[in-house]
Amino acid sequence: MAQTPNAVILAAGKSSKFFAPLYDKPKGLFEFRGEVLIERQIRQLKEAGIEDITVVVGYEKERFFYLEEWGVRLLVSMRYNDEMSLSSLDVARAYIGNTIICCADHWYDANPFEGVGGERSLRLVSPMEDARQEFVVDEEADGRLYHLQSGAPAGLAMVGYAFFTEDFAERFFALMDEDRSMIGFKALHWEQFWGRHCDELPLYGVEAPAGFREFDSLGDFARLDASVLNNVSQAAIANICAILDCPRDAIEDIDPLNKGLTNVSFSFVVGDNKYVYRHPGASSGNLVYRDAEVVAQQAAVDLGIDPSVIAIDVSGWKLSRFIEATGPFSYDDPAVLAKGIAQIRQFHESGVTCDYAMDFLEEGDRLQALAAAKKEDLARRYQALHDQTVRLWHHVALEAIPPVLCHNDTYAVNWIVADDELCLIDWEYAGMNDPFADLATLTVRDGLSREQNDQILALYLGREPSFEEKRRDYAINALCGWYWFNWALYKDTLGEDGFFMLPSWRAMMDYGPLALAMYEDPAALEAFQAVEEEGIQEDCL
């Protein structure tokens, strides 16, 4: 009689396709058809006679602690943030051998664990027409799997649970110990590691049962289960219902949006109308001054620059009408660019003010100090750049240009182009600043050329800029680069995308020395005019 297997459920990871601040819990604790995913698997395992169950937890681990009352063993992974499922198996290796390996976010309509076991190691597989997000394998005539691929357009995908025999597990972990120093080892899923050693680790395919589901996004839940709202922040749902005066069950077609860098958002439908709800991200408290955002956002609504917003709160949430983009904001489209710059000028001339002053130098220094907690010694490393930035800051300050309320986050993706309309969104970095700050942000964030920068400055002024105006514009580009460079450093320490780092660095390198020369070199005006004149002559040839 075959020995009854035990089970290990992997529940440590933080899915990159789900947004934790919005959904409030790990994916294994999501509800589907009235049941919590991991609870259902534990019930099914126990119904199949499997009582020895280990759960590996990591992200939001305390949310799983109640499962000890279900008679399961909990193991805590401290490596879930930068390692994959291979490390979770390593954490549980003492309990793996004659073992069913499960993932917490799987669902089986019928109990799949009855009779699992035997002398061969197994993995559920299923043919897929779109397998780009799966591990795909080939299968020999006897069912043995080999030739693992990722990103294949179609094929036999590895899905659901696996079963490791004792011999397989012993060899698996021996190979792990041999390969531990290998480059990229920490980033491997266990399937990828197996794929490297499939000749030594015989694994056989078993067709996944009908009714198996793996949830990769909230949309997967929404398409199958009307109770999907139970998985969304209940504070968000309460806000929506109060503002739109609708019952919970009127909220349909929830779809996560992953364009924001500071917050998380989702679109949804109520009746015939589509909306977007924004929920503040975990790092937003160190980046955003919400009181200023609310003032700027209301001004943008009143001016018709952003008519999408229905309601906004200083706590960070916002409800907007969904505007369907009909094309991108393009710097190569003269009409679109002119309209966008006109909106910036209109906002600056509105006379609206707020209590928060956005200082690129001060805020950049503050974010660098936060980043230094993990990156260390940033002040010494970038001392020369900081000295350059301070000198530029003093030159700009001496010009005493009256500050205006600025967006401070103007770049292409924050404009929605809808037919002939243009909507400037996302006012969360708003604050009083030099009016050229909104022009500098375009150049810095989108990595525009000097020629494009000068074109934007002329559009804003409605004429060719003077030497003094170009000098100040270039200085503010460098100051802006300092802020966004340190913003990116800080985001990098959170494991979030700091992809503005290189364009910001280039802005400091390109515009900083040039602006200093224009301020501090008595011959700079003559040289500048000569270069400008040469450019005009070349254009005429």
Side-chain angles (χ1 to χ4, degrees):
M1 183 176 179
Q3 179 185 355
T4 301
N6 67 324
V8 169
I9 303 176
L10 307 182
K14 176 182 179 181
S15 174
S16 61
K17 299 178 184 179
F18 284 71
F19 307 112
L22 181 58
Y23 304 127
D24 289 337
K25 54 191 171 186
K27 193 164 54 161
L29 295 178
F30 274 39
E31 295 180 31
F32 182 65
R33 294 178 179 170
E35 290 191 79
V36 174
L37 296 181
I38 194 169
E39 290 180 6
R40 180 179 176 86
Q41 281 197 75
I42 292 171
R43 286 192 192 100
Q44 289 177 326
L45 287 164
K46 288 180 173 289
E47 288 169 1
I50 300 165
E51 295 291 339
D52 185 350
I53 302 171
T54 300
V55 180
V56 182
V57 298
Y59 170 68
E60 292 282 321
K61 51 188 170 290
E62 70 279 4
R63 303 291 293 270
F64 292 98
F65 286 176
Y66 77 96
L67 292 176
E68 285 196 334
E69 299 174 13
W70 291 49
V72 305
R73 177 188 301 108
L74 295 182
L75 300 178
V76 175
S77 170
M78 304 303 293
R79 295 140 57 182
Y80 68 90
N81 215 24
D82 56 358
E83 298 187 32
M84 298 299 173
S85 60
L86 184 60
S87 72
S88 287
L89 290 189
D90 196 19
V91 169
R93 66 191 299 171
Y95 302 97
I96 296 178
N98 192 38
T99 303
I100 301 171
I101 309 293
C102 305
C103 288
D105 58 356
H106 291 171
W107 172 279
Y108 303 90
D109 280 352
N111 193 328
F113 303 119
E114 298 283 354
V116 174
E119 298 180 359
R120 300 205 304 186
S121 294
L122 310 171
R123 179 62 191 266
L124 295 188
V125 292
S126 180
M128 289 188 178
E129 294 182 2
D130 182 358
R132 289 171 294 179
Q133 302 297 317
E134 308 294 339
F135 294 122
V136 169
V137 289
D138 291 331
E139 188 176 28
E140 296 179 350
D142 65 351
R144 182 166 175 171
L145 305 176
Y146 68 101
H147 188 216
L148 181 137
Q149 306 172 67
S150 58
L156 190 65
M158 302 179 88
V159 300
Y161 70 78
F163 171 72
F164 287 9
T165 64
E166 290 185 2
D167 290 344
F168 181 98
E170 182 178 353
R171 183 60 180 148
F172 185 96
F173 290 115
L175 291 168
M176 270 187 66
D177 291 338
E178 291 175 10
D179 290 359
R180 198 172 294 276
S181 61
M182 178 180 66
I183 293 175
F185 177 85
K186 290 183 177 181
L188 293 177
H189 292 276
W190 77 258
E191 293 92 342
Q192 292 171 300
F193 178 79
W194 166 82
R196 297 185 178 199
H197 296 283
C198 60
D199 290 341
E200 302 167 86
L201 295 169
L203 190 64
Y204 293 83
V206 174
E207 185 176 355
F212 165 77
R213 293 179 177 87
E214 180 178 4
F215 299 98
D216 286 331
S217 72
L218 193 70
D220 291 344
F221 284 91
R223 284 185 288 273
L224 297 166
D225 186 10
S227 65
V228 64
L229 293 183
N230 292 335
N231 297 314
V232 178
S233 165
Q234 296 309 294
I237 298 304
N239 281 339
I240 291 169
C241 292
I243 296 165
L244 297 181
D245 191 22
C246 68
R248 286 170 52 90
D249 57 11
I251 301 172
E252 300 177 329
D253 298 336
I254 288 180
D255 189 24
L257 304 174
N258 196 18
K259 292 183 179 180
L261 298 174
T262 309
N263 304 291
V264 292
S265 304
F266 64 92
S267 65
F268 64 95
V269 172
V270 173
D272 296 328
N273 298 310
K274 190 171 184 179
Y275 303 91
V276 174
Y277 186 87
R278 184 193 74 187
H279 195 80
S283 64
S284 63
N286 284 324
L287 299 171
V288 175
Y289 294 84
R290 295 294 184 192
D291 289 340
E293 179 196 11
V294 170
V295 171
Q297 181 68 76
Q298 187 58 56
V301 171
D302 294 342
L303 293 166
I305 294 172
D306 181 7
S308 66
V309 172
I310 298 170
I312 186 171
D313 187 79
V314 292
S315 64
W317 62 261
K318 181 172 69 173
L319 179 65
S320 306
R321 296 178 185 86
F322 182 88
I323 299 177
E324 189 72 52
T326 56
F329 181 92
S330 173
Y331 295 102
D332 297 325
D333 186 324
V336 169
L337 180 59
K339 190 174 291 187
I341 300 304
Q343 285 185 333
I344 291 175
R345 175 117 193 179
Q346 177 191 8
F347 190 76
H348 291 173
E349 293 176 346
S350 68
V352 178
T353 63
C354 74
D355 293 334
Y356 167 62
M358 172 59 154
D359 184 314
F360 283 143
L361 172 61
E362 181 181 347
E363 284 297 293
D365 288 353
R366 185 180 65 84
L367 291 176
Q368 185 180 100
L370 291 174
K374 287 190 177 180
K375 286 185 175 286
E376 299 180 0
D377 208 18
L378 293 177
R380 183 195 62 80
R381 193 183 312 167
Y382 298 116
Q383 184 64 54
L385 267 178
H386 186 261
D387 291 345
Q388 170 184 282
T389 307
V390 170
R391 287 164 65 190
L392 288 170
W393 184 92
H394 281 293
H395 284 301
V396 171
L398 286 171
E399 296 192 29
I401 302 299
V404 298
L405 185 56
C406 291
H407 186 286
N408 291 318
D409 193 22
T410 45
Y411 72 125
V413 301
N414 277 341
W415 268 290
I416 300 175
V417 180
D419 295 324
D420 294 330
E421 299 299 316
L422 202 59
C423 182
L424 180 56
I425 62 171
D426 288 352
W427 295 82
E428 58 195 347
Y429 288 87
M432 304 301 290
N433 207 342
D434 188 293
F436 285 2
D438 278 340
L439 311 183
T441 307
L442 291 171
T443 294
V444 172
R445 294 285 291 270
D446 282 326
L448 303 183
S449 67
R450 181 92 53 80
E451 180 182 7
Q452 289 172 304
N453 176 84
D454 293 352
Q455 177 192 8
I456 287 170
L457 180 59
L459 273 175
Y460 179 83
L461 295 172
R463 56 174 169 76
E464 285 301 310
S466 66
F467 169 80
E468 290 79 12
E469 287 167 332
K470 277 199 173 182
R471 179 178 66 184
R472 186 171 115 245
D473 177 69
Y474 294 166
I476 292 172
N477 281 352
L479 286 165
C480 183
W482 176 255
Y483 170 75
W484 288 109
F485 176 69
N486 286 294
W487 179 95
L489 286 174
Y490 171 62
K491 293 291 263 186
D492 209 41
T493 65
L494 302 177
E496 300 175 20
D497 201 337
F499 61 82
F500 290 115
M501 198 181 295
L502 183 55
S504 302
W505 174 269
R506 288 171 175 163
M508 290 188 288
M509 296 296 102
D510 293 344
Y511 289 100
L514 175 59
L516 278 178
M518 294 172 77
Y519 275 110
E520 299 176 353
D521 184 353
L525 175 58
E526 182 180 345
F528 177 83
Q529 290 174 330
V531 169
E532 293 291 288
E533 181 64 27
E534 181 181 346
I536 292 171
Q537 291 174 356
E538 288 180 356
D539 288 343
C540 294
L541 293 177

